[in-house]
Amino acid sequence: MTKFNKSALSALVAVGVMGMAGAASAAVVGGGATLPEDLYGKAQSPTHGLGILHQGADFNPYVGVGSSAGKRAFFNNASSEFVWDHDNNPATPDVPYYSTAVTVDYAGSDSLVTQSEVDSYNTNSATAYGPMIQVPSVLTSVTVPYNITGRTSVNLTSAQLTQIFADPSIERWNQVVGFESLPDSRLIKVVYRTDGSGTTEIFLRHLNAINPALVSQVSNSFSGTIDVSSAKYIGANGSDGVVTALANNPDSITYVSPDKVDFDNPAEVASINGDLPTEVNVQSALTGIVPPIFNARNNPVNWGIGYAASGISPIANPTEGYPIVGATNLIFSQCYLDGDDSDKIRTFFDQHYASGSTVNDAAITAGSFIKLPENWRSAVYNAFYTQSSALSVGNANVCNGKGRPL
């Protein structure tokens, strides 16, 4: 981009951002995980697909900054966390999406809410804003695309996958079963996310279940879990960043959300244990994993698909289907002082979770995501939309005089 065009674009963005800040009070504000940013209507291209959270003036464009930043924005009501690369140039700094502070109404996160986060919210925010709500939005897989010269298909076991990404002694492709014919010069290049990422959390959750000696914890930080100090590792920011780094580095491999790649193409994405992340294979992984009932519904952590109080998640290494699976989630407060915001959020719950609703199906499919099973959709709808439920968004008995600020 020329200096003139870049300066002109910066000026236009500044005007647009100030306009968005002024309009924020009339629309629902949020952002976070980059995995679903296209589905929700991202800031860089708010009309992409159907933008299920960006419908006219109802929701402001979703600002993809990663799950960690999205959570911080929500828990601290800090719209300053929403920064964006307005010209898609890694050499220039990100800029604030909102020029002045606005209320953060929700966050998107692929990283599950923790009990400590719930406890902190209950201590600091629940009295003013009402209880926290975490709900799964859509199912997703984490794909394993590769750029290995001369290979048109790759099939890895979960054990091999863990070794490639986490074992410091595995440095060359010919150390991996099935790649023995490659010369010693073909070094493995692992591209990883440098930002806090729910995609990373889903990925590491599986690797940890396979080999906890190599992957000692489940975290949304790859470098906080695996030693990336060797030349084997190449860091990149965000989903788009890892895809670009993969393309620029022969003999590399990475992990990314399915919307960024041709997820069912074996020439682009590795099969894991013989399976590609197709809709059937992803849905099969949820066999036996059911939504919370009775009093368990009151704790937001129990709405995280894959959460287990024991720490051993049933979805970490499923007995059926594609093994690297999770959900991308949305985090709300139950109460909003702006009644219009509350109504807009309730409309989203009705359209997205009501039995038989197909309003968002086309956008879900276009984004390479998978609709929640009926039992999960019904559970979310009955708990958080049905007005007779004490958990419903805007419930008058709970929200009288309280809510996230205007």
Side-chain angles (χ1 to χ4, degrees):
M1 179 179 292
T2 66
K3 184 175 181 180
F4 172 80
N5 286 339
K6 187 172 177 180
S7 299
L9 178 58
S10 297
L12 288 173
V13 168
V15 172
V17 167
M18 287 188 288
M20 289 303 299
S25 62
V28 183
V29 170
T34 59
L35 185 150
E37 64 183 352
D38 287 339
L39 175 69
Y40 294 156
K42 68 180 181 179
Q44 292 88 334
S45 179
T47 57
H48 178 91
L50 297 182
I52 68 173
L53 284 177
H54 180 61
Q55 309 252 350
D58 288 352
F59 283 69
N60 276 353
Y62 177 93
V63 188
V65 289
S67 295
S68 293
K71 281 184 173 182
R72 290 195 303 269
F74 177 81
F75 290 129
N76 300 322
N77 193 22
S79 60
S80 58
E81 294 283 355
F82 296 146
V83 296
W84 66 315
D85 182 7
H86 59 81
D87 58 4
N88 295 313
N89 186 342
T92 59
D94 291 343
V95 297
Y97 190 76
Y98 297 101
S99 58
T100 58
V102 297
T103 294
V104 177
D105 297 303
Y106 75 97
S109 178
D110 313 319
S111 175
L112 297 178
V113 166
T114 66
Q115 188 61 59
S116 63
E117 288 171 333
V118 172
D119 293 342
S120 177
Y121 178 94
N122 288 341
T123 299
N124 299 315
S125 303
T127 300
Y129 302 161
M132 182 206 306
I133 294 171
Q134 174 186 230
V135 289
S137 175
V138 290
L139 298 181
T140 185
S141 60
V142 176
T143 68
V144 183
Y146 62 91
N147 177 10
I148 305 173
T149 304
R151 296 302 295 253
T152 57
S153 66
V154 169
N155 185 22
L156 299 170
T157 66
S158 291
Q160 289 174 321
L161 185 71
T162 307
Q163 286 183 318
I164 290 168
F165 277 85
D167 190 339
S169 69
I170 303 298
E171 299 177 333
R172 305 174 188 277
W173 280 109
N174 62 12
Q175 293 176 275
V176 180
V177 173
F179 295 84
E180 295 92 342
S181 63
L182 296 182
D184 283 353
S185 60
R186 301 284 288 277
L187 298 174
I188 294 172
K189 298 293 183 182
V190 170
V191 179
Y192 70 94
R193 288 278 292 269
T194 56
D195 54 319
S197 160
T199 307
T200 297
E201 181 175 310
I202 294 170
F203 186 67
L204 291 181
R205 184 171 64 200
H206 179 60
L207 302 193
N208 168 261
I210 299 302
N211 193 332
L214 286 176
V215 183
S216 61
Q217 63 178 344
V218 179
S219 167
N220 63 17
S221 171
F222 190 94
S223 61
T225 303
I226 295 171
D227 181 2
V228 297
S229 59
S230 76
K232 175 179 177 178
Y233 295 97
I234 300 170
N237 185 67
S239 299
D240 290 332
V242 296
V243 171
T244 298
L246 181 79
N248 292 338
N249 289 276
D251 294 327
S252 60
I253 191 168
T254 191
Y255 60 94
V256 76
S257 55
D259 58 314
K260 301 298 182 182
V261 293
D262 190 3
F263 67 89
D264 57 357
N265 180 1
E268 185 173 341
V269 172
S271 297
I272 309 299
N273 303 325
D275 288 324
L276 285 168
T278 63
E279 180 176 351
V280 170
N281 287 336
V282 170
Q283 289 178 331
S284 295
L286 264 70
T287 301
I289 299 175
V290 296
I293 59 175
F294 304 126
N295 289 339
R297 303 188 312 163
N298 298 328
N299 190 338
V301 299
N302 294 326
W303 289 96
I305 293 178
Y307 170 79
S310 65
I312 303 172
S313 172
I315 205 172
N317 187 25
T319 57
E320 299 180 37
Y322 184 76
I324 317 172
V325 174
T328 187
N329 308 288
L330 291 164
I331 306 169
F332 300 94
S333 290
Q334 186 176 1
C335 306
Y336 295 83
L337 289 179
D338 187 331
D340 286 341
D341 281 0
S342 183
D343 289 344
K344 291 166 184 174
I345 292 168
R346 285 185 54 80
T347 296
F348 166 74
F349 271 78
D350 186 30
Q351 292 177 339
H352 197 60
Y353 297 104
S355 177
S357 176
T358 60
V359 172
N360 294 330
D361 286 9
I364 292 171
T365 300
S368 301
F369 295 105
I370 296 168
K371 194 172 182 176
L372 289 176
E374 175 63 31
N375 61 332
W376 276 91
R377 294 200 313 278
S378 295
V380 170
Y381 183 88
N382 292 335
F384 302 114
Y385 180 80
T386 304
Q387 290 187 330
S388 59
S389 169
L391 301 176
S392 63
V393 173
N395 182 286
N397 295 324
V398 177
C399 296
N400 184 24
K402 67 175 64 173
R404 294 189 82 84
L406 297 172

